[in-house]
């Protein structure tokens, strides 16, 4: 794959101009569909300067990086929201982004750079920790970064206007729709934001928002928000399992265009080639144009200058050892190389500043870090880019002898445990040697080489605080990768040692009088988790992450390592570099019976992944619930509450809950807990109606996503709760639910029919179970009238009597029925209706 189709030595100008739209001809007719001149398809190239990444949303005031971003004063905000010229409100367009903002976006885009500095890269964490509300507007500061660093792709004819600019001009027309049809990890999201960033900067739109596709297979026109002058980005969910976007999507885009045009909005749709071929029937031919190719050299230059305006790009990018590293590289690899060059350049500048200080001689003697020449900087970048493989081979196999096992393992342990006291590294290297080679290493005496000898053997430097450091950039990461590639049969043992590294030796080697505190172990856990994640994603192997999850689950799900494991998976599940593989891995884990894997899946579905990919999370929870493992039931209940917040999946979610209540294997476990989660207030002290009753009221609204639970489904759930009568003593979920629903019937007259009808049908069964269920309901209702901490009220007594009279009527009617017309068992079809039937609750 080769992007660099420019003449040799051709450079972009040092300045980074932004498009102002002045190139558009005054007499150019605007059309709602993007119609640039098609260029020949080339799936081997990437149309952008960056892989897909998580956009920044508005950051909390406490976030340090947010303080350097452009902020609006209250007066500016007021003026923007209430203009005096009669035009629509315009958000102030931000100026050039700060270097910190550019670096924050870039660091987050490269998974391999995340949490590299003991988890303390503020810029990276700033991007990772953004709120994932799919309806929140995209930060103007983020879009300013996109506009600044985006390297524009070009078509075959570099003299003609580029397809990218043609797409941008077509999007200026109100109601325009553009489809970017590319595989994941091909910079399609970043390209979309680049287009929208230009529209925002030029004042064509006032805001950029992502759209949630929802849990349905359709995207109806009424799903579009009512906002004016917005640019929307809609990512179609990939086809998966029993879910696929409906084939009518392409034909319905014309309807979307009409509604967008009325509100002066624009829409960009992200899809994949195979999916688009299936759903594109009826769509305009020019709606999904080829956007051209981009040079890796252009990508590198834009990002380098965006972070260091004075960076000597020509000297670096034209160097004979750097050019081959850029040729044919994907944007992610280019960005990795960018950060290697930036690190070497900044290190050289720092060394120059130290050398000019009055105490430079003393610092040089103490730090042993001489200033490197430019050629040495380039050599370090090239070597780090290849993971120092040649240098590491030379170290492992020096002329005339071979390194001892303890020396090799000390180097490996120092690379993994960077930042830990050398005594701890020494002890853990001995344990690694024992596990890999099944030989005992005695490090508490003087038989083995000591710390000083081992430190010099691996070429490390022992700092004043007792920690080890390497002078070569990214040498520690390269050491781990060298071992992984060099010793494939030792990977399983190494992974077990790696996963246990933050768990064991919580007080370190007491003999060394070096204590590893909680913060040190958490930092180590982050490094271990990131290594496992990189290798799992890169090699499409679940084993590294499985081992981490298993060992940290054994340590205790209530302890600090387990939340780190969940956060690691959750972050990876929403990061475009890793998301495709992590999504498939979570799907596979959801079908397996190991409780640690199932708990991990459920908790990830409860987190950012569940909020961002609700429909996917729901399908994974369905698989977990089918197992009914007791260790994950409570977590599953929390996940149901989280997913319920997405109105588009409520019908599907309620159908699953009802199915779990029907199943003999899950009725009193998963079914009982999940139905209770929707039948009760959350949190318990919260005011208002429980989710199911709130849905009954909201279901009257004339909205396409509005969902109203069926009485049949409510009956199935209530029958599951009523069967809890033989369960544990004390206050039960059943009593809490009865109290809550009768309170609602008393306070909201429109709910009384739904409440009474659900409870009546739930106990109206034949056989020996009927009297038990009726007596259970009557008892709970009596406690509701007057019980512990529940004062008596005449209105409550009257409501209970009304319900009791209806139960008696049902009992008499059942007894008057001919026996042949009565179902023989509670499980007969008439008593177990479908929870997702198209029947309203009233």
């Amino acid at each position: 794959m080769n992007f660099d189709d420019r003449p040799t030595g051709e450079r972009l100008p040092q300045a980074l101009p932004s498009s102002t739209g002045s190139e558009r001809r005054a007499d150019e007719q605007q059309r709602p569909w993007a119609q640039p001149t098609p260029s020949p398809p080339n799936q081997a190239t990437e149309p952008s300067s960056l892989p897909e990444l998580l956009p920044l949303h508005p950051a909390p005031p406490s976030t340090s990086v947010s303080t350097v971003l452009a902020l609006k004063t209250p007066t500016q905000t007021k003026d923007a929201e209430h203009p005096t010229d009669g035009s629509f409100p315009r958000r102030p367009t931000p100026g050039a982004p700060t270097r910190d903002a550019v670096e924050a976006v870039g660091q987050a885009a490269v998974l391999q750079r995340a949490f590299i500095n003991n988890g303390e890269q503020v810029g990276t964490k700033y991007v990772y920790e953004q709120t994932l509300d799919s309806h929140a507007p995209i930060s103007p500061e983020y879009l300013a970064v996109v506009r600044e660093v985006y390297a524009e792709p070009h078509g075959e004819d570099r003299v003609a206007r580029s397809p990218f600019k043609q797409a941008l001009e077509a999007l200026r027309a109100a109601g325009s729709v553009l489809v970017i049809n590319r595989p994941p990890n091909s910079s399609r999201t970043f390209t979309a934001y680049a287009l929208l960033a230009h529209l925002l900067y030029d004042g064509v739109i006032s805001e950029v928002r992502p759209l949630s596709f929802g849990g349905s297979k359709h995207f109806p026109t009424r799903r579009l928000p009512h906002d004016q002058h917005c640019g929307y980005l809609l990512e179609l969910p990939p086809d998966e399992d029993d879910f696929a976007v409906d084939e009518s999507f392409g034909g319905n885009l014309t309807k979307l265009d009409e509604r967008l045009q009325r509100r002066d909005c624009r829409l960009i749709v992200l899809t994949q080639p195979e999916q688009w071929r299936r759903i594109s029937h009826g769509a305009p031919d020019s709606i999904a144009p080829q956007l051209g190719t981009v040079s890796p050299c252009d990508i590198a230059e834009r990002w380098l200058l965006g972070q260091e305006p004075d960076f000597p790009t020509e000297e670096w990018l034209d160097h004979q050892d750097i050019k081959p590293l850029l040729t044919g590289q994907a944007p992610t690899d280019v960005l990795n190389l960018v950060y290697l060059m930036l690190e070497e350049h900044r290190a050289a500048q720092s060394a120059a500043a130290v050398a000019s200080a009055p105490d430079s001689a003393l610092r040089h003697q103490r730090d042993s870090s001489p200033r490197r020449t430019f050629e040495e900087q380039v050599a370090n970048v090239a070597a780090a880019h290849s993971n120092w493989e040649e240098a590491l081979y030379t170290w492992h196999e020096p002329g005339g002898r071979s390194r001892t096992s303890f020396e090799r393992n000390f180097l490996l342990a120092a690379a993994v445990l960077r930042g830990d006291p050398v005594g701890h590294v020494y002890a853990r290297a001995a344990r690694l040697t024992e596990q890999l080679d099944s030989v005992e290493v005695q490090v508490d005496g003087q038989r083995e080489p000591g710390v000083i000898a081992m430190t010099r053997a691996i070429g490390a430097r022992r700092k004043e605080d007792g920690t080890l450091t390497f002078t070569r950039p990214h040498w520690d990461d390269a050491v781990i990768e060298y071992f992984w590639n060099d010793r494939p049969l030792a990977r399983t043992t190494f992974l077990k040692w790696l996963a246990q590294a933050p768990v064991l030796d919580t007080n370190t080697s007491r003999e060394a009088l070096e204590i590893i505190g909680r913060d040190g172990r958490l930092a180590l856990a982050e490094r271990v988790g990131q290594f496992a994640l990189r290798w799992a994603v890169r090699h499409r192997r679940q084993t590294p992450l499985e081992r981490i999850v298993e060992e940290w689950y054994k340590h205790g799900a209530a302890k600090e390592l387990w939340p780190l494991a969940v956060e690691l998976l959750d972050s990876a599940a929403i990061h475009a570099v890793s998301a495709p593989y992590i999504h498939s891995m979570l799907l596979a884990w959801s079908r397996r019976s190991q409780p640690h894997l199932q708990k991990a899946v459920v908790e990830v579905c409860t987190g950012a992944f569940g909020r961002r990919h609700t429909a996917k999370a729901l399908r994974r929870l369905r698989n977990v619930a089918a197992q009914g493992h007791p260790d994950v039931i409570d977590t599953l209940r929390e996940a149901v509450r989280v997913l319920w917040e997405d109105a588009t999946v409520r019908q599907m979610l309620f159908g699953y809950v009802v199915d779990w209540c029907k199943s003999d294997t899950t009725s009193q476990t998963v079914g009982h807990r999940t139905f209770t989660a929707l039948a009760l207030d959350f949190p318990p002290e919260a005011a208002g109606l429980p989710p199911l009753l709130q849905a009954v009221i909201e279901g009257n609204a004339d909205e396409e996503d509005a969902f109203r639970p069926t009485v049949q489904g409510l009956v199935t759930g209530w029958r599951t709760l009523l069967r809890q009568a033989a369960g544990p003593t004390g206050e039960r979920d059943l009593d809490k639910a009865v109290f809550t629903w009768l309170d609602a019937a008393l306070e909201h007259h429109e709910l009384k029919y739904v409440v009474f009808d659900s409870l009546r049908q739930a106990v109206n069964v034949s056989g020996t179970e009927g009297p038990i269920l009726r007596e259970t309901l009557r008892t709970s209702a009596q406690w509701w009238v007057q019980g512990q901490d529940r004062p008596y009220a005449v209105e409550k007594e009257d409501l209970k009597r009304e319900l009791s009279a209806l139960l008696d009527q049902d009992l008499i009617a059942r007894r008057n029925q001919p026996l042949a017309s009565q179902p023989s068992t509670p499980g007969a079809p008439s008593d177990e209706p479908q929870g997702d039937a198209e029947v309203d609750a009233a």
Side-chain angles (χ1 to χ4, degrees):
M1 178 168 65
N2 190 341
F3 296 165
D4 200 350
D5 53 359
R6 297 174 303 159
T8 303
E10 182 180 344
R11 300 242 54 81
L12 287 174
Q14 292 286 327
L16 297 177
S18 299
S19 172
T20 62
S22 60
E23 300 174 354
R24 183 174 53 178
R25 297 189 304 271
D27 59 343
E28 186 176 26
Q29 182 180 4
Q30 297 185 6
R31 283 176 276 178
W33 305 107
Q35 296 180 338
T37 305
S39 58
N42 186 352
Q43 296 296 337
T45 59
E46 309 289 353
S48 175
S49 58
L50 187 68
E52 296 177 66
L53 59 126
L54 184 67
L56 281 97
H57 293 269
S62 59
T63 305
S64 60
V65 173
S66 65
T67 61
V68 300
L69 298 177
L71 299 176
K72 297 187 290 291
T73 65
T75 302
Q76 288 175 316
T77 303
K78 181 178 180 181
D79 292 343
E81 294 176 352
H82 304 284
T84 58
D85 60 356
S87 62
F88 65 83
R90 300 288 186 179
R91 175 174 299 208
T93 55
T98 65
R99 291 166 55 181
D100 288 340
V102 176
E103 186 155 2
V105 175
Q107 292 281 5
V110 185
L111 186 65
Q112 290 83 350
R113 292 287 175 262
F115 304 115
I116 194 172
N117 187 24
N118 293 340
E120 295 303 324
Q121 279 188 335
V122 179
T124 302
K125 296 174 78 172
Y126 168 63
V127 177
Y128 268 107
E129 294 171 359
Q130 298 310 307
T131 302
L132 289 172
D133 181 1
S134 60
H135 302 289
I138 302 302
S139 164
E141 290 79 21
Y142 169 81
L143 294 171
V145 173
V146 173
R147 195 183 70 253
E148 186 81 3
V149 302
Y150 185 75
E152 184 179 314
H154 296 277
E156 288 188 343
D157 185 359
R158 298 181 66 88
V159 178
R161 175 175 293 187
S162 71
F164 178 85
K165 278 192 171 62
Q166 295 181 53
L168 178 61
E169 290 304 310
L171 278 171
R172 294 181 184 277
S176 300
V177 179
L178 174 73
V179 175
I180 298 181
N181 168 32
R182 298 197 66 84
N185 300 333
S186 61
S187 304
R188 57 181 189 170
T189 304
F190 203 71
T191 298
Y193 281 128
L195 291 165
L196 295 171
H198 280 287
L199 296 180
L200 180 67
Y201 183 78
D202 295 341
V204 177
I205 56 177
S206 60
E207 189 169 74
V208 176
R209 287 177 175 269
L211 290 181
S212 172
F213 187 85
S216 170
K217 298 181 179 181
H218 302 271
F219 186 83
T221 56
R222 281 186 288 180
R223 183 76 53 78
L224 287 172
H226 297 282
D227 302 84
Q228 301 282 331
H229 320 296
C230 281
Y232 295 115
L233 180 61
L234 173 65
E235 180 178 356
L236 303 188
D239 301 341
E240 179 184 82
D241 271 4
D242 55 351
F243 176 86
V245 176
D246 193 83
E247 293 183 355
S248 63
F249 179 83
N252 290 333
L253 286 176
T254 304
K255 298 179 181 178
L256 290 177
D257 162 61
E258 294 171 356
R259 180 160 295 201
L260 289 166
Q261 190 169 12
R262 288 199 302 269
R263 295 169 182 164
D264 194 15
C265 294
R266 287 87 181 151
L267 173 67
I268 297 180
V269 179
L270 303 182
T271 182
Q272 302 179 31
E274 292 184 3
Q275 185 182 58
W276 182 242
R277 281 193 291 270
R278 184 178 61 80
I279 67 175
S280 61
H281 304 293
D285 294 335
S286 58
I287 197 173
Q290 296 294 327
L291 295 179
T293 61
V294 62
S295 164
C297 200
D298 289 350
I299 297 175
E301 186 170 42
R302 300 289 289 192
W303 277 96
L304 287 168
L305 294 178
Q307 296 177 75
E308 295 286 348
D310 298 327
F311 190 90
T313 53
E314 291 188 10
E315 187 178 15
W316 274 92
L317 299 182
D318 289 336
H319 195 282
Q320 60 181 0
D321 292 338
I322 297 297
K323 277 186 175 181
L325 305 182
L326 286 169
T327 303
Q329 295 302 299
T332 303
D333 299 321
V334 173
L335 205 53
N336 271 308
L337 187 63
V338 162
Y339 278 101
L340 289 175
M341 289 187 286
L342 281 172
E343 288 171 10
E344 282 297 300
H345 176 69
R346 290 168 176 173
Q349 288 183 319
S350 177
V354 170
S356 63
D359 57 346
S360 59
L362 178 60
R363 290 188 184 183
H364 173 76
Q365 180 180 4
R366 183 183 63 216
D367 297 338
S368 296
S369 53
R371 180 181 179 184
R372 287 190 284 266
T373 65
F374 175 70
E375 291 299 326
E376 290 172 333
Q377 296 172 43
V378 171
N380 274 350
V381 168
H385 186 266
S386 63
N387 287 317
W388 294 98
E389 184 168 310
E390 287 300 320
L392 282 168
Y393 172 78
T394 301
W395 184 89
H396 281 81
E397 307 295 338
R401 73 178 187 92
S402 181
R403 295 284 183 183
T404 66
S405 178
F406 189 40
E407 286 177 323
R408 295 169 184 250
N409 291 324
F410 187 82
L411 174 64
L412 185 58
V416 173
L417 306 174
R418 59 178 180 263
D420 287 358
V422 66
H424 183 244
V425 176
Y426 190 64
R428 296 295 291 161
R431 180 167 297 181
L432 177 59
T433 304
E434 293 171 1
Q435 293 182 7
L436 288 176
D437 300 328
S438 300
V439 296
E440 183 177 358
V441 180
Q442 297 180 1
V443 292
D444 51 354
Q446 294 204 51
R447 192 179 76 175
E448 301 294 342
V451 165
I452 296 176
M454 298 303 297
T455 301
R456 294 189 178 186
I458 66 172
R461 180 165 53 89
R462 196 171 74 257
K463 299 169 67 176
E464 292 181 356
D465 60 359
T467 59
L468 299 179
T469 184
F470 299 104
T471 57
R472 290 168 167 170
H474 302 289
W475 178 262
D476 40 13
D477 289 332
V479 166
I480 300 173
E481 299 208 20
Y482 186 92
F483 168 82
W484 189 269
N485 293 323
D486 192 46
R487 304 288 173 172
L489 300 184
R491 291 174 182 171
T492 302
T493 304
F494 171 69
L495 285 176
K496 183 176 181 179
W497 174 88
L498 189 72
Q500 291 176 343
V503 178
L504 300 179
D505 287 347
T506 55
N507 293 322
T508 300
S509 175
R510 290 186 175 88
E511 294 80 2
L513 301 180
E514 293 174 347
I515 306 301
I516 300 297
R518 178 180 179 274
D519 292 342
R521 289 192 298 110
L522 294 182
L524 172 59
E526 285 187 351
R527 295 195 298 271
V528 167
Q530 284 295 320
F531 169 79
L533 175 61
R534 287 201 304 270
W535 274 99
V537 172
R538 185 177 305 170
H539 298 284
R540 296 298 190 262
R541 298 296 296 271
Q542 301 176 16
T543 307
L545 288 174
E546 284 183 11
R547 181 63 68 180
I548 294 292
V549 169
E550 180 181 9
E551 293 296 332
W552 294 2
Y553 180 81
K554 291 178 182 177
H555 179 60
K559 297 183 179 180
E560 64 269 12
L561 291 183
W562 179 254
L564 277 180
V566 175
E567 183 181 358
L568 175 77
L569 295 172
D570 198 22
S571 296
I574 60 174
H575 195 294
V577 175
S578 54
Y581 177 72
I582 297 299
H583 291 184
S584 63
M585 184 191 74
L586 292 173
L587 184 63
W589 284 8
S590 70
R591 299 186 178 117
R592 295 169 59 178
S593 59
Q594 291 95 324
H596 59 280
L597 298 182
Q598 292 200 339
K599 186 173 178 63
V601 170
V602 175
E603 293 200 21
V604 170
C605 291
T606 310
F609 167 72
R611 296 191 298 273
R612 192 174 181 85
H613 302 283
T614 309
K616 280 191 170 187
L618 189 56
R619 291 190 287 275
R620 284 148 184 78
L621 291 181
R622 176 190 58 187
N623 295 338
V624 172
Q627 307 281 348
H629 201 285
D631 289 352
V632 301
I633 291 176
D634 287 337
T635 310
L636 188 62
R637 177 174 56 184
E638 300 304 314
V640 167
R641 286 172 172 153
V642 169
L643 298 186
W644 186 265
E645 295 301 316
D646 186 342
T648 67
V649 302
R650 288 177 183 173
Q651 180 170 342
M652 187 186 304
L653 176 58
F654 184 67
Y656 287 165
V657 170
V658 171
D659 288 340
W660 298 334
C661 289
K662 294 177 187 177
S663 171
D664 292 337
T665 58
T666 61
S667 174
Q668 290 303 312
T669 55
V670 175
H672 170 85
R673 300 291 182 87
T674 54
F675 183 79
T676 302
L678 301 179
L680 291 175
D681 294 327
F682 180 77
E685 64 275 8
L689 296 171
L692 286 175
L693 290 180
Q694 187 65 38
V696 171
I697 293 179
E698 294 175 350
N700 291 321
D702 186 21
E703 292 292 338
E704 197 151 355
D705 284 338
F707 161 71
R708 205 176 190 208
T710 63
V711 168
Q712 291 90 337
L714 296 176
V715 167
T716 301
W718 268 108
R719 194 167 293 159
T720 299
L721 294 189
L722 289 164
R723 287 167 179 159
Q724 192 197 24
T729 58
E731 190 177 25
R732 302 163 297 180
D733 288 338
L734 167 64
D735 300 323
K736 297 176 186 177
V738 170
F739 297 168
T740 301
W741 283 52
L742 292 181
D743 283 339
L746 186 64
E747 297 172 7
H748 303 271
H749 180 74
E750 68 273 22
L751 290 176
K752 187 169 76 170
Y753 175 81
V754 175
V755 172
F756 277 13
D757 206 27
S758 301
L759 296 176
R760 290 172 62 187
Q761 292 189 40
V763 300
N764 191 18
V765 297
S766 60
T768 59
E769 187 180 32
I772 297 175
L773 296 182
R774 276 188 293 274
E775 185 62 26
T776 299
L777 177 58
R778 291 179 193 271
T779 302
S780 291
Q782 182 58 44
W783 287 350
W784 171 73
V785 173
Q786 186 174 18
Q788 185 177 7
D789 299 327
R790 300 192 65 81
Y792 175 82
V794 176
E795 295 82 0
K796 293 164 64 175
E797 178 70 32
D798 293 342
L799 191 70
K800 192 267 293 185
R801 287 178 178 174
E802 184 179 353
L803 174 62
S804 184
L806 292 173
L807 296 181
D808 291 339
Q809 291 178 16
D810 294 338
L811 179 60
I812 293 172
R814 175 172 286 279
R815 288 182 176 178
N816 290 334
Q817 277 184 319
L819 292 177
S821 64
Q822 297 185 23
S824 58
T825 65
S830 61
D831 286 317
E832 298 293 344
Q834 296 294 321
D836 55 355
E838 295 296 331
V839 181
D840 284 338

